[in-house]
Amino acid sequence: MTTAQPTTDVLPEKHRSTLDQALATIRTRAYWSPYPEHPKAYGADGSLDAAAGLAAHEAVLNGRFDLDQPGTDGWTGGEVSPYGPALGVEYPHADVDVLLPAMRAGLPAWRDAGPETRALVCLEILARISARTHEFAHAVMHTSGQAYMMAFQAGGPHAQDRGLEAVAYAYEEQTRTPAGRAAWSKPQGKRDPLELSKEFTPVGRGVALVIGCNTFPTWNGYPGLFASLATGNAVLVKPHPRAVLPLALTVKVAREVLAESGFDPNLVALATERPGEGIAKTLAVRPEIRIIDYTGSTEFGDWLEANARQAQVYTEKAGVNTVLIDSTDDYKGMLSNLAFSLSLYSGQMCTTPQNLLIPRDGITTDQGPRSYDEVVADLAAAVGGLLGDDARANALLGALVNPDVKARLEAAADLGEVALASREVAHPDFPEAVVRTPVMVKVDGSKPDAEAAYLSECFGPVSFAVSVDSTADGLELLRRTIRDKGAMTVGAYTTSADTERAVEEICLEESAQLSLNLTGGVYVNQTAAFSDFHGSGGNPAANAALCDGAFVSNRFRVVEVRRQA
């Protein structure tokens, strides 16, 4: 695919209206996206259609992915698709003592470009990534295990939305202070006024480090990458060793656009690691690293927060997502919604519900009262029905991303009474793929010895139907879970105004994002850019939200120069 080379002169005409719409939408919180989420929308205006995207992906496999970065001292790779095939891609391994100074060299010109030019260059990067969405989808699919349609949407337009959202917040925060020179005059009565000329410049902190995750390399990686780049920083991308390709493609596009726009391409670079090297810890405490974005385990997130003292650290860690089931006026819709939420991408989402709190005396529904056992059995049947057809199951579940998820799934049966057993699903195109349906385990929430199971994140297709003595006890357990363990999402089903208000109050006080009575085509584990906040930054699951002003405002400082008028 050939693309006309942009200059900063043509970028306003191409992208300013998109930036303006993004700025308007983060204020209205309405639905909007400039990136099509239907596969058939691609193939015109230089974008890759499905066949061309697959061909582009296959052309990258089994070869070296050269980025022409300074300090390359060797090559490394080893990604194996969760669907079976080895990708065979080798990436440059960097001598960071050479690479980091080269990245810093481009910062003065990038700073002087100003917030608007930086934002428009970022939008050009996103536009070029969007044109290659089908190619990126294959890269995401074969590193994360997502089914193709989910990889296409979540790894493509939805990730691009989050990147653009970060750019919009970055632009808005940087332009709160007037650009250029401001006149300051203080009256002195009969004497001449005191007069100064003041100039304010947003200045990035330096080099930002993005530590990528295995499951959503672009969706989780783009907010930090574009927030840092748009606020005047250089960005070093350290992908998860099992999911390098999507972020390597991103870095390549970014470097091309930066160079064509007259900036140093080393403002964005890739840092891959050799097996067992563990360079994230080494990079995180380097004095050049001033910002860190991380998605992953609580253990390493806590280590970053405690040890990377020279950097501003943004983390998304583990949480225990909880749904309180008190009552419903759409029992069938509730079961269908929860079944889909538990099944999507085999539960390998930081927003997937894990604990379902159900009063042991049962709930009221539009179909009459249902006991705890009946609710659990009906939900198990809904999941089983949703995934009963192998073709549909493969399209929803994808593949287990790594052996650790499989091990947790297999161990879950020992944690309580199995209400829904997991089964293997054969994939017709990828016989080596490990595809499993979810397991649901019944546990007694009144027994302290059961807490070790359900109050720890069990990442993957594992859920716990937790019996509680009453809705009031469920509310208290919900509060304790958010406060002690954190939650990216909270859900509740109730027809009681008092219970609804009680759940709201808990989530407001403990800072958790709440979804109430979802029974249609929106699910608790889905969030929309420009409208929904992903995480809150106010409970142990994450110290930042995607996206808000706080996510971008501390990536730069405003430096003032005063002159005598």
Side-chain angles (χ1 to χ4, degrees):
M1 179 180 63
T2 59
T3 309
Q5 293 191 353
T7 68
T8 53
D9 293 335
V10 302
L11 292 181
E13 182 180 349
K14 291 183 68 175
H15 301 304
R16 181 68 218 201
S17 62
T18 302
L19 177 61
D20 289 341
Q21 184 62 58
L23 290 166
T25 308
I26 61 175
R27 299 184 191 109
T28 65
R29 316 306 295 180
Y31 170 76
W32 173 73
S33 172
Y35 308 116
E37 63 178 5
H38 196 289
K40 292 184 178 179
Y42 297 82
D45 301 324
S47 63
L48 301 180
D49 63 13
L54 176 59
H57 169 70
E58 291 177 338
V60 172
L61 304 181
N62 302 306
R64 284 190 169 176
F65 196 99
D66 193 2
L67 291 168
D68 193 27
Q69 292 184 172
T72 298
D73 61 9
W75 298 84
T76 185
E79 291 160 292
V80 176
S81 169
Y83 289 93
L87 302 191
V89 185
E90 287 189 314
Y91 305 95
H93 182 274
D95 179 346
V96 293
D97 290 327
V98 176
L99 180 59
L100 287 171
M103 296 183 71
R104 289 179 56 84
L107 286 173
W110 190 234
R111 175 200 66 212
D112 294 344
E116 181 177 28
T117 294
R118 288 195 294 268
L120 296 176
V121 170
C122 287
L123 264 63
E124 176 66 18
I125 295 169
L126 285 164
R128 297 222 193 156
I129 290 171
S130 175
R132 297 168 62 176
T133 292
H134 275 288
E135 178 187 0
F136 273 77
H138 287 285
V140 171
M141 173 183 176
H142 285 291
T143 52
S144 70
Q146 295 175 31
Y148 183 76
M149 184 53 71
M150 183 175 186
F152 179 90
Q153 292 184 337
H158 298 170
Q160 295 151 22
D161 283 340
R162 284 296 184 190
L164 174 57
E165 179 185 40
V167 174
Y169 273 102
Y171 179 83
E172 179 149 286
E173 292 299 319
Q174 290 174 97
T175 54
R176 288 188 186 278
T177 304
R181 294 190 178 183
W184 183 86
S185 180
K186 181 178 180 180
Q188 296 294 297
K190 294 181 179 180
R191 292 174 294 168
D192 291 339
L194 300 175
E195 294 186 344
L196 294 175
S197 173
K198 302 183 180 185
E199 189 172 5
F200 305 94
T201 303
V203 179
R205 287 181 171 270
V207 180
L209 174 65
V210 173
I211 303 175
C213 68
N214 194 173
T215 48
F216 288 88
T218 55
W219 199 99
N220 279 106
Y222 282 7
L225 191 164
F226 284 100
S228 288
L229 193 60
T231 49
N233 302 280
V235 183
L236 181 60
V237 179
K238 204 297 292 182
H240 191 284
R242 293 194 187 100
V244 180
L245 184 55
L247 291 178
L249 290 167
T250 303
V251 169
K252 189 177 184 68
V253 172
R255 290 174 64 84
E256 290 170 352
V257 172
L258 285 164
E260 294 172 13
S261 301
F263 297 102
D264 190 336
N266 296 320
L267 287 165
V268 178
L270 187 74
T272 55
E273 57 190 307
R274 298 185 178 105
E277 187 177 6
I279 63 170
K281 274 192 173 183
T282 302
L283 288 169
V285 295
R286 295 270 310 205
E288 302 95 331
I289 300 299
R290 307 305 303 276
I291 302 166
I292 298 173
D293 287 277
Y294 168 75
T295 301
S297 71
T298 296
E299 181 182 11
F300 191 57
D302 289 345
W303 184 93
L304 287 170
E305 292 170 359
N307 291 278
R309 309 295 296 182
Q310 85 294 347
Q312 182 71 27
V313 179
Y314 301 88
T315 59
E316 181 189 314
K317 301 177 288 189
V320 178
N321 300 319
T322 302
V323 177
L324 176 71
I325 304 177
D326 166 72
S327 53
T328 180
D329 57 9
D330 184 359
Y331 188 58
K332 182 178 179 181
M334 181 190 78
L335 294 175
S336 176
N337 192 280
L338 285 173
F340 188 92
S341 297
L342 295 173
S343 302
L344 185 63
Y345 185 32
S346 300
Q348 298 170 124
M349 303 173 69
C350 61
T351 50
T352 300
Q354 175 179 300
N355 292 346
L356 310 172
L357 310 185
I358 308 168
R360 66 181 74 257
D361 290 336
I363 67 171
T364 59
T365 81
D366 57 317
Q367 298 183 18
R370 288 289 188 275
S371 68
Y372 164 82
D373 288 331
E374 288 174 325
V375 173
V376 176
D378 290 344
L379 180 55
V383 174
L386 178 67
L387 303 176
D389 176 74
D390 282 1
R392 179 190 291 177
N394 277 307
L396 285 175
L397 295 170
L400 299 188
V401 68
N402 61 49
D404 292 340
V405 176
K406 182 172 180 285
R408 282 193 292 271
L409 172 65
E410 293 173 344
D414 298 327
L415 300 176
E417 179 187 344
V418 175
L420 174 66
S422 177
R423 71 178 181 89
E424 296 185 23
V425 179
H427 198 294
D429 300 320
F430 301 101
E432 297 176 68
V434 179
V435 183
R436 299 287 188 275
T437 62
V439 62
M440 188 186 306
V441 179
K442 297 165 72 173
V443 294
D444 189 338
S446 67
K447 294 182 177 180
D449 59 351
E451 290 189 359
Y454 69 80
L455 284 185
S456 298
E457 185 187 43
C458 194
F459 186 76
V462 178
S463 61
F464 296 95
V466 183
S467 63
V468 293
D469 290 336
S470 64
T471 293
D473 288 323
L475 288 166
E476 183 52 39
L477 179 54
L478 173 63
R479 180 187 295 276
R480 183 158 58 92
T481 301
I482 302 170
R483 178 179 296 169
D484 296 347
K485 303 298 181 179
M488 294 299 293
T489 57
V490 172
Y493 290 90
T494 183
T495 57
S496 163
D498 290 341
T499 299
E500 180 174 322
R501 181 58 192 161
V503 176
E504 273 191 74
E505 192 63 26
I506 289 170
C507 290
L508 290 170
E509 292 177 357
E510 305 302 334
S511 193
Q513 311 295 12
L514 172 63
S515 297
L516 284 166
N517 297 318
L518 297 184
T519 56
V522 176
Y523 305 93
V524 68
N525 42 353
Q526 296 175 322
T527 59
F530 311 108
S531 184
D532 296 323
F533 292 110
H534 177 73
S536 70
N539 69 64
N543 73 0
L546 305 180
C547 290
D548 60 7
F551 185 69
V552 299
S553 59
N554 214 13
R555 295 172 190 262
F556 70 96
R557 310 311 300 160
V558 177
V559 177
E560 176 185 358
V561 177
R562 301 190 297 179
R563 294 178 174 87
Q564 189 70 44

